[in-house]
Amino acid sequence: MSKRDTPPSSELVSAAEALDAELLRFESLARQLQEAPLTSEKQLERASKTLKDLADLDDALRVRVGALVQAITGVRTRQQTQADAVNACAQELQRRTEAFKDLLTRYGALGQSAADLNGRMQEFAALRQQATRTAEEDARLTSVFTSLQDRMAEVADEAATLSQAADADRFADIGRQADSLRQQLLSARNKLGLLHQSLSS
């Protein structure tokens, strides 16, 4: 990666590097002062200048420390902002997971209802296929038909409600599956009605 492609340093890194550079200068000047001989006027003047430079650097170090603290505070604020966002995402994930499980449970119950209806339709078909029926068996056939029609309408309504709930919560797959089941139930109900009409005519 070329220097031109290198991303700029963050505020925290820049502040730390600036503080470190000032600290190295301070330590270097402090060693010079400690090791400087004080045996001539020139040496005394040089030591006095070094002492003044150290005082100036000490002020600069305070500024650098303040900048670093400010950068750390900014990083902490950014981290907290991201942590809050992650926590909100976690709560939303939990809510949607629970909503999805609830929709799946309801869809499973619909599937069971559809299976039960299939069994009852087979019972109706068996009664209908009898060549001769007694009045009691005709009454039984009518009773099964009416019960089937009512229950199929109920399950179709439940499927419609589930489809709407899934679409509202943006679970399109379950919404489509529930709507498909609703359409199948209504189609079967219409066919059942036509069968019953042919029996009555």
Side-chain angles (χ1 to χ4, degrees), residues 22-32 34 54 57:
E22 295 284 17
L23 187 58
L24 288 175
R25 287 181 60 202
F26 186 87
E27 289 173 340
S28 176
L29 286 176
R31 280 194 300 272
Q32 289 178 32
Q34 293 164 20
L54 280 167
L57 267 179

Side-chain angles (χ1 to χ4, degrees), residues 4-198:
R4 192 170 52 186
D5 296 329
T6 304
S9 298
S10 68
E11 182 182 357
L12 178 62
V13 172
S14 298
E17 288 176 343
L19 175 60
D20 188 56
E22 295 284 17
L23 187 58
L24 288 175
R25 287 181 60 202
F26 186 87
E27 289 173 340
S28 176
L29 286 176
R31 280 194 300 272
Q32 289 178 32
L33 182 63
Q34 293 164 20
E35 296 169 359
L38 305 174
T39 57
S40 70
E41 181 180 2
K42 188 174 182 180
Q43 290 171 344
L44 291 173
E45 289 175 352
R46 186 181 298 120
S48 294
K49 182 178 183 306
T50 300
L51 188 61
K52 181 181 181 305
D53 290 343
L54 280 167
D56 292 340
L57 267 179
D58 190 51
D59 291 338
L61 278 172
R62 288 195 187 92
V63 173
R64 296 299 185 189
V65 168
L68 181 59
V69 169
Q70 184 176 357
I72 291 173
T73 300
V75 168
R76 186 183 299 116
T77 300
R78 284 168 53 197
Q79 186 273 335
Q80 186 59 52
T81 298
Q82 291 302 317
D84 291 343
V86 168
N87 184 55
C89 287
Q91 292 180 0
E92 177 64 4
L93 174 61
Q94 181 179 1
R95 187 196 72 77
R96 288 190 60 74
T97 299
E98 290 173 354
F100 183 70
K101 287 180 179 178
D102 177 64
L103 290 170
L104 276 184
T105 299
R106 291 169 62 185
Y107 186 73
L110 274 179
Q112 184 59 53
S113 295
D116 293 342
L117 282 170
N118 186 55
R120 292 167 65 178
M121 287 181 70
Q122 290 176 3
E123 178 187 359
F124 176 81
L127 286 171
R128 175 181 169 273
Q129 288 172 0
Q130 292 180 6
T132 58
R133 288 186 298 273
T134 64
E136 185 177 302
E137 288 170 336
D138 279 339
R140 170 66 179 157
L141 190 62
T142 300
S143 174
V144 171
F145 167 78
T146 302
S147 176
L148 263 175
Q149 287 274 293
D150 291 345
R151 182 59 183 148
M152 291 172 92
E154 289 176 3
V155 177
D157 286 344
E158 291 171 8
T161 300
L162 176 59
S163 179
Q164 291 168 5
D167 288 342
D169 220 351
R170 304 188 312 280
F171 288 114
D173 287 349
I174 296 180
R176 282 193 297 269
Q177 292 169 12
D179 187 61
S180 175
L181 180 58
R182 180 188 69 84
Q183 293 179 30
Q184 291 171 29
L185 286 166
L186 292 177
S187 176
R189 187 172 184 268
N190 289 336
K191 290 177 182 177
L192 189 66
L194 292 175
L195 279 175
H196 189 66
Q197 286 178 7
S198 68

